[in-house]
Amino acid sequence: MAVYTREHPLEIPPPSEKDWLKEDEEDFFLLDPDRKRDALPQPFRMIHKLVMLVFENAMEIIERKEMLREAQKLKVQPTKCFPSDEFQVTGRANCLAVSGSYIFVGLSVGLAAFRVSDCKEICAWDAVKTEICAIHASHLGNDCHVLLAVDEMGLVWLFCFDKESFLLIKVLNEMEDMSKRSACVEVVLSPGGDYAGVLLQDSTKAWLEIYRLPKDSWLKETEEHPGAAAGLAWGERRSSWTSVESSVSAKRAEAKLPPPVLLLKVKPPRPVTGSSFKSPLDALKKVDDGNMLGLGYNHLIKDSQWEQHEAIFHRTYQEYLEAEGERESKEEIPRHASFHFLLPGQILQVGPEMKVQPDVPAGISVHWDGSHNLCLYLLNHPLKEKVDSDPKPDVVWPCAAPIACSTVSSCCRYLALACEDAAITIWDEHLGYPLCVTAILEERHIRSIHFLQSSAAARDEAPHPGTDPACPTVQLLVLCTDSSLYLVKALQAGNSSLTLLADRPEDPNLAVSAVVPVLAFPSAALVFSWDGTVSLMNTDTSQVVYCFSTPPSHAVASPWQPVFVVDSVDGCLLLRGDEQQAADALAQSRASHSTIFIFDFNSYPLKEAFPKEPDLPLKPLQNLSWTERCNIFLHDRQQSLLGLREQLPEYWSRLQAQAAAMDEERQKGKGQKKL
């Protein structure tokens, strides 16, 4: 039997409770002596605290989710829109593309084409049993389309789709030696199908290849040989690779479709190293040869100066570098680039000897990961027998921070750049000056940017003299890495605004996987979430007005990377859905069919949710402010200067003739003095 002995003798307490012994209060009478035996040892007490902490954190999460659920119930729920049509494809659909009146589907085994009108399969290509992972299509005219497909091995297949048949033209990066084969990272097809850009990688380096597609020759040959494409397409089905090679070569010779022409081969910029010039005159001579200063290669900083600068930096910030755990980082050559095709404009001006068309790209913009420079290359240079392996950019835009992402508007008039410091710049390519420069003040990283359609921006008409020119509001949707959404509005008058549309979601399942503008309606954007929700947002009100839902028997396939395409011409959304019982990855990979749901925007009352902005009446010149008057004057002045480019050769010839005449008079004067 245990015997307990008190630490202090038993005393009669004083009349007042204020005089009690505070230190002995618990041991005096508040605790039962038998409770000491029930107390847990120290390791178990710590475990008990940790378990209770876990329970408390779990209850906090449950209460927070319950509050979010209750708040969601109080919100106005968006109207649910179910598919207006659907069709099934054989195999797993990995990618979708719409061109003209056809839907092209990249499958786990080959390609398939469907009509938009009745969703019936009209043609398929599965000659080599390869899985197509990405597909791009463009309408060439006369019911002829060009397709670029990327398979699982990184090969780029170039097709011509004519008379409802696939015609293989060439595999762009095919190599006989497997060790020298390069894989495609990204493919971009210019609007109209005039050019194609392919970003390639191998084990050590990356580069960008730009091809010119002879679409006029293709249209002519397909008209002269209408049966060649059909014979090739159906002759390739269900055959081996050897038979495909012989069949392809025979049909290609019959059709006589010329292959694409390689124009440019752009490599990543080299790291800036020490100068080898001995004097400034050597650097100026190098500039006279046609090289550019924009990339920073032609400088006069020696290697010893770089080393001294690095030593001073390390000595000055040694404590911060040690705290961060400094690592010796070597400058690596970037392996990814973003590029866009650009129409002729004031930013990328071409010479008088180059013929350009207003709807055909005249150049391309390229920026590599981690680079501060946006490089612009012209596409109308004369063709050479051997393509320059390292061409110099025609224009270089240096930025204060590395460029994170870029985009071009659907009309190819506006170009937007977003840097890693969250600075955003919107350029007007036609006028050649920035509309606005803004930045997100919060510490957030920009993931992607997208131009939205505006009813005012769609108008690109020349103003009448003495009236206010159309000043469209350019809208840019910004998606950050934490799934927050911002809207940038820029006016040609120089005013801009930045609005937070949606903050970072509390629920991780509501994270945004993709954002796509809907050009059929002004200020409309589709937002795809990880939980499979497809929402249509009105960026003017920051509200989700509609929600596109699949039938209860299906769910959105791979919602973190959805398979979809938006047809801006017919105004519809094509979305792949999988059956609920086949939602897991194993069953999904073994699925023999995929369902493509069609959401026709004309079947829903979307026009009521996105009313078009009324056209602003023209103002008299005397009622305008001085800023608006100056803008009108500069715009008219620029319109009057557009014809000077064609007159420059004539001016130069006159100057040369005048110089020759003056030289002849000078020689005559010297001859008379000698006499």
Side-chain angles (χ1 to χ4, degrees):
M1 180 176 177
V3 178
Y4 302 96
T5 305
R6 298 183 181 274
E7 298 180 2
H8 299 279
L10 185 61
E11 297 179 358
I12 299 175
S16 177
E17 294 180 355
K18 297 180 180 180
D19 299 328
W20 285 8
L21 298 175
K22 299 296 183 182
E23 61 211 17
D24 299 333
E25 182 178 357
E26 295 182 355
D27 296 336
F28 185 65
F29 70 92
L30 294 180
L31 294 178
D32 191 349
D34 293 334
R35 191 169 179 178
K36 282 189 175 182
R37 183 179 298 175
D38 298 333
L40 295 173
Q42 177 54 39
F44 298 99
R45 290 201 302 270
M46 180 60 67
I47 295 174
H48 178 265
K49 289 183 179 180
L50 294 177
V51 172
M52 293 303 298
L53 182 62
V54 170
F55 276 108
E56 291 176 359
N57 293 338
M59 287 303 300
E60 290 181 1
I61 296 175
I62 293 173
E63 292 176 356
R64 190 185 308 116
K65 288 188 175 182
E66 188 66 23
M67 292 175 60
L68 292 175
R69 190 179 294 110
E70 293 296 332
Q72 192 70 19
K73 290 181 180 179
L74 296 177
K75 289 183 179 180
V76 178
Q77 297 298 325
T79 305
K80 285 190 176 182
C81 299
F82 291 96
S84 56
D85 201 353
E86 64 179 76
F87 63 94
Q88 287 190 345
V89 297
T90 304
R92 185 178 66 256
N94 296 325
C95 49
L96 298 169
V98 178
S99 179
S101 58
Y102 298 100
I103 302 172
F104 301 100
V105 185
L107 304 171
S108 54
V109 181
L111 288 168
F114 297 81
R115 287 194 187 94
V116 175
S117 57
D118 53 7
C119 300
K120 289 185 178 181
E121 182 178 353
I122 58 176
C123 182
W125 180 85
D126 56 357
V128 295
K129 306 294 181 183
T130 183
E131 182 175 1
I132 303 299
C133 301
I135 185 172
H136 300 266
S138 180
H139 188 203
L140 301 181
N142 297 335
D143 203 22
C144 184
H145 306 262
V146 60
L147 280 82
L148 282 173
V150 183
D151 64 6
E152 57 184 344
M153 300 299 294
L155 295 177
V156 183
W157 301 75
L158 177 61
F159 293 93
C160 180
F161 184 81
D162 181 63
K163 304 298 186 295
E164 299 184 352
S165 302
F166 288 103
L167 176 60
L168 177 62
I169 299 176
K170 185 181 179 182
V171 181
L172 297 182
N173 58 335
E174 184 180 11
M175 297 289 292
E176 296 181 359
D177 190 357
M178 293 292 294
S179 61
K180 297 181 180 180
R181 177 172 293 180
S182 57
C184 174
V185 180
E186 187 177 356
V187 172
V188 174
L189 191 61
S190 68
D194 295 280
Y195 298 94
V198 182
L199 181 62
L200 300 173
Q201 273 187 9
D202 60 10
S203 57
T204 58
K205 59 184 180 301
W207 65 95
L208 174 64
E209 293 182 355
I210 306 299
Y211 292 88
R212 177 182 295 169
L213 306 181
K215 66 175 188 178
D216 296 334
S217 301
W218 293 349
L219 292 173
K220 183 178 179 181
E221 291 296 334
T222 52
E223 290 178 358
E224 295 178 357
H225 302 84
L232 176 60
W234 295 103
E236 285 184 351
R237 293 179 62 92
R238 298 174 179 84
S239 58
S240 62
W241 175 252
T242 306
S243 62
V244 167
E245 286 291 335
S246 59
S247 177
V248 168
S249 59
K251 296 297 180 180
R252 187 182 298 162
E254 179 183 353
K256 296 181 181 179
L257 291 184
V261 180
L262 180 61
L263 292 181
L264 294 175
K265 187 176 181 180
V266 182
K267 295 183 179 180
R270 303 186 309 271
V272 179
T273 57
S275 174
S276 59
F277 300 125
K278 297 181 179 179
S279 64
L281 183 60
D282 295 338
L284 292 176
K285 289 181 179 179
K286 193 69 175 177
V287 174
D288 293 336
D289 292 338
N291 294 332
M292 298 193 62
L293 287 169
L295 293 177
Y297 297 140
N298 299 330
H299 58 83
L300 298 176
I301 304 177
K302 303 293 184 181
D303 287 329
S304 58
Q305 293 175 311
W306 286 116
E307 295 174 359
Q308 293 177 2
H309 181 272
E310 185 177 0
I312 294 173
F313 178 82
H314 281 255
R315 185 168 57 252
T316 306
Y317 302 100
Q318 182 177 3
E319 54 179 344
Y320 301 102
L321 296 175
E322 292 177 353
E324 291 289 338
E326 178 192 3
R327 299 177 182 177
E328 294 184 359
S329 60
K330 298 181 180 179
E331 293 190 22
E332 298 181 357
I333 298 178
R335 298 178 60 84
H336 188 271
S338 299
F339 53 99
H340 308 280
F341 290 97
L342 305 177
L343 294 179
Q346 297 296 324
I347 291 180
L348 193 61
Q349 298 185 7
V350 298
E353 70 280 358
M354 298 182 184
K355 297 181 179 180
V356 296
Q357 300 178 8
D359 56 346
V360 177
I364 186 171
S365 65
V366 184
H367 65 87
W368 297 84
D369 286 353
S371 175
H372 294 247
N373 298 322
L374 178 70
C375 301
L376 306 178
Y377 300 85
L378 288 173
L379 299 177
N380 296 301
H381 289 295
L383 295 178
K384 301 179 181 179
E385 296 182 358
K386 185 177 180 181
V387 179
D388 190 0
S389 59
D390 191 12
K392 302 298 180 183
D394 296 279
V395 180
V396 177
W397 285 0
C399 299
I403 303 174
C405 53
S406 61
T407 186
V408 177
S409 62
S410 59
C411 61
C412 297
R413 174 171 180 173
Y414 304 104
L415 171 67
L417 299 177
C419 298
E420 293 184 0
D421 59 353
I424 303 171
T425 306
I426 301 177
W427 287 81
D428 189 334
E429 297 182 23
H430 288 187
L431 302 181
Y433 65 84
L435 290 182
C436 77
V437 179
T438 185
I440 300 177
L441 300 180
E442 294 82 359
E443 294 183 359
R444 289 174 174 172
H445 300 280
I446 298 176
R447 176 179 166 187
S448 62
I449 52 179
H450 311 270
F451 279 104
L452 298 178
Q453 179 67 21
S454 176
S455 59
R459 302 189 305 268
D460 191 14
E461 303 174 355
H464 299 284
T467 58
D468 182 18
C471 295
T473 301
V474 181
Q475 302 184 65
L476 186 71
L477 187 63
V478 182
L479 173 63
C480 299
T481 54
D482 60 352
S483 297
S484 58
L485 287 171
Y486 288 85
L487 179 65
V488 179
K489 288 187 177 182
L491 291 171
Q492 289 199 359
N495 301 325
S496 63
S497 62
L498 180 66
T499 307
L500 177 64
L501 298 180
D503 207 343
R504 175 183 178 182
E506 296 289 340
D507 189 358
N509 293 327
L510 298 179
V512 178
S513 57
V515 171
V516 179
V518 180
L519 302 181
F521 302 98
S523 306
L526 283 173
V527 181
F528 295 80
S529 303
W530 281 15
D531 61 350
T533 305
V534 183
S535 307
L536 183 62
M537 175 184 286
N538 188 347
T539 57
D540 286 340
T541 60
S542 306
Q543 297 294 328
V544 175
V545 292
Y546 286 93
C547 181
F548 298 104
S549 303
T550 57
S553 59
H554 289 72
V556 177
S558 58
W560 55 90
Q561 192 176 1
V563 179
F564 71 96
V565 66
V566 178
D567 185 4
S568 58
V569 177
D570 295 328
C572 63
L573 167 67
L574 282 77
L575 179 65
R576 172 191 156 193
D578 292 338
E579 296 184 5
Q580 292 285 1
Q581 60 268 21
D584 60 300
L586 181 60
Q588 181 181 352
S589 61
R590 295 179 179 177
S592 59
H593 293 82
S594 295
T595 305
I596 307 299
F597 295 101
I598 300 178
F599 299 88
D600 189 2
F601 296 151
N602 299 321
S603 303
Y604 317 111
L606 300 183
K607 294 183 179 180
E608 299 176 0
F610 299 96
K612 291 187 177 180
E613 300 175 6
D615 295 339
L616 297 177
L618 298 177
K619 303 177 183 179
L621 188 62
Q622 59 271 17
N623 296 336
L624 299 179
S625 62
W626 281 107
T627 303
E628 293 173 331
R629 290 188 182 185
C630 292
N631 289 336
I632 294 175
F633 172 77
L634 293 175
H635 188 276
D636 294 341
R637 181 64 176 172
Q638 183 182 0
Q639 293 295 329
S640 63
L641 294 177
L642 291 178
L644 292 180
R645 186 180 303 171
E646 289 77 11
Q647 300 175 6
L648 283 178
E650 182 181 356
Y651 291 160
W652 278 111
S653 61
R654 291 181 181 177
L655 287 175
Q656 291 176 354
Q658 186 177 1
M662 293 176 63
D663 187 44
E664 185 178 356
E665 291 292 337
R666 188 181 299 109
Q667 295 295 335
K668 289 182 179 179
K670 290 182 179 179
Q672 293 178 357
K673 289 182 179 180
K674 290 181 180 180
L675 295 175

